[in-house]
């Protein structure tokens, strides 16, 4: 099982705890507190871990659905924890977001702690997802972009840009071609003959419609019996 799958399984486990505490007052009363092995049972801790382990996974429809559900069904609870509300909204946004983990006030959370196994790796994985979110946003707005400009927008070095881009291309999260000689990233997909023909047919149809409309207007203007609107 890959690390990404383990992160999703962990997120779903915390989701189950969070929803149990959220819906069941008796469970909240009986379970909240710190257990013998240091596990903290509370709405805040379970929600923090649910959200953050969710965001350690690569972008996917499953992750998006989890985030959308949180924002839709638990927005009141999220508003009680601004750091979580902010990070959920950031990853759901269609805009570039900061790649500086310090901007999100989450660095002190349990999963990033040195006392937690892989705490540092969790931090690296979270920053990676911040960068990859921005790569996908850039792909939507640019057909071609220089490495220099790419680096400026992502707020990371050109080497990091190339590393993340290659990872995302391999994972089929984006389509791009990298020209290292010219320092250009091209997001344009090569169109099939069928797609080119469809576009040509559409353009011809639009042109013929315009010609027909123009001919009708000329005919009406030259016809002295035509009624004026």
């Amino acid at each position: 099982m890959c690390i990404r799958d383990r992160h999703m399984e962990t997120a779903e486990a915390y989701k189950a705890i969070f929803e149990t505490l959220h819906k069941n007052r008796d469970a909240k009363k009986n379970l909240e507190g710190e257990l013998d092995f240091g596990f903290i049972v509370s709405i805040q801790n379970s929600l923090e871990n649910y959200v953050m382990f969710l965001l350690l996974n690569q972008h996917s429809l499953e992750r998006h659905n989890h985030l959308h559900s949180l924002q839709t069904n638990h927005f009141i609870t999220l508003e009680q924890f601004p750091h979580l509300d902010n990070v959920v909204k950031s990853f759901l946004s269609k805009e570039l977001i900061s790649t500086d983990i310090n901007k999100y006030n989450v660095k002190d959370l349990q999963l990033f702690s040195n006392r937690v196994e892989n705490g540092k790796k969790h931090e690296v994985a979270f920053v990676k997802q911040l960068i990859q979110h921005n790569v996908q946003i850039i792909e939507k707005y640019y057909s071609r972009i220089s490495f220099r400009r790419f680096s400026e927008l992502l707020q990371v070095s050109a080497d990091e840009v190339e590393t993340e881009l290659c990872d995302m291309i391999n994972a089929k999260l984006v389509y791009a071609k990298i020209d290292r000689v010219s320092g250009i990233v091209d997001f344009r997909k090569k169109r099939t003959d069928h797609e080119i023909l469809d576009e040509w047919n559409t353009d011809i149809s639009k042109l013929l419609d315009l010609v027909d409309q123009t001919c009708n207007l000329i005919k009406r203007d030259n016809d002295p019996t035509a009624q004026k609107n």
Side-chain angles (χ1 to χ4, degrees):
M1 182 183 296
C2 67
I3 292 176
R4 181 166 53 128
D5 291 336
R6 290 204 299 271
H7 289 332
M8 182 59 76
E9 283 195 353
T10 303
E12 289 176 339
Y14 276 109
K15 175 189 177 185
I17 297 172
F18 164 68
E19 291 188 337
T20 297
L21 295 174
H22 185 264
K23 295 176 181 178
N24 191 322
R25 291 186 177 181
D26 290 336
K28 181 179 177 181
K29 181 179 178 180
N30 296 329
L31 294 177
E32 274 197 332
E34 184 171 344
L35 303 182
D36 292 340
F37 49 90
F39 183 81
I40 300 173
V41 182
S42 68
I43 283 183
Q44 179 173 347
N45 185 64
S46 57
L47 183 58
E48 284 177 345
N49 282 287
Y50 170 33
V51 171
M52 299 310 298
F53 274 105
L54 192 61
L55 295 175
L56 298 187
N57 291 278
Q58 280 188 331
H59 171 79
S60 65
L61 179 59
E62 182 181 16
R63 190 183 81 172
H64 176 81
N65 288 341
H66 274 284
L67 293 174
H68 182 71
S69 176
L70 273 168
Q71 191 176 56
T72 303
N73 301 321
H74 298 291
F75 64 93
I76 294 177
T77 304
L78 277 175
E79 287 177 349
Q80 297 174 26
F81 308 105
H83 59 305
L84 298 180
D85 190 37
N86 178 39
V87 78
V88 169
K89 287 179 178 177
S90 295
F91 274 91
L92 285 174
S93 75
K94 296 181 179 179
E95 300 177 352
L96 294 175
I97 60 178
S98 174
T99 55
D100 182 357
I101 189 174
N102 295 306
K103 299 289 185 180
Y104 299 94
N105 297 318
V106 296
K107 201 170 181 180
D108 293 331
L109 297 186
Q110 185 182 36
L111 81 164
F112 297 133
S113 171
N114 292 329
R115 296 173 295 174
V116 174
E117 184 180 4
N118 296 322
K120 185 61 179 178
K121 289 182 179 179
H122 292 160
E123 183 179 331
V124 171
F126 177 67
V127 173
K128 185 181 186 73
Q129 291 313 307
L130 292 172
I131 295 172
Q132 290 196 359
H133 168 88
N134 285 347
V135 171
Q136 291 180 307
I137 298 301
I138 290 171
E139 182 197 22
K140 294 180 185 297
Y141 295 103
Y142 285 81
S143 57
R144 299 173 78 247
I145 186 172
S146 69
F147 267 111
R148 181 185 61 78
R149 181 58 178 155
F150 215 147
S151 179
E152 290 175 354
L153 291 173
L154 291 184
Q155 308 160 46
V156 298
S157 69
D159 287 342
E160 288 179 281
V161 169
E162 184 171 353
T163 297
E164 295 303 333
L165 198 52
C166 287
D167 285 349
M168 295 181 74
I169 292 171
N170 291 334
K172 301 186 184 305
L173 293 173
V174 297
Y175 177 90
K177 291 183 178 179
I178 301 173
D179 186 337
R180 292 182 176 84
V181 176
S182 61
I184 296 293
V185 177
D186 193 331
F187 290 112
R188 294 173 298 183
K189 294 182 179 179
K190 184 178 180 180
R191 295 182 299 170
T192 64
D193 292 341
H194 181 70
E195 289 173 331
I196 294 173
L197 183 60
D198 279 349
E199 184 178 342
W200 183 83
N201 284 334
T202 301
D203 290 342
I204 290 297
S205 295
K206 289 180 179 178
L207 178 60
L208 291 175
D209 285 342
L210 288 173
V211 170
D212 186 52
Q213 291 174 22
T214 303
C215 288
N216 287 333
L217 288 172
I218 293 174
K219 182 178 179 180
R220 188 179 68 176
D221 288 342
N222 291 333
D223 185 354
T225 63
Q227 293 183 352
K228 295 183 179 179
N229 294 328

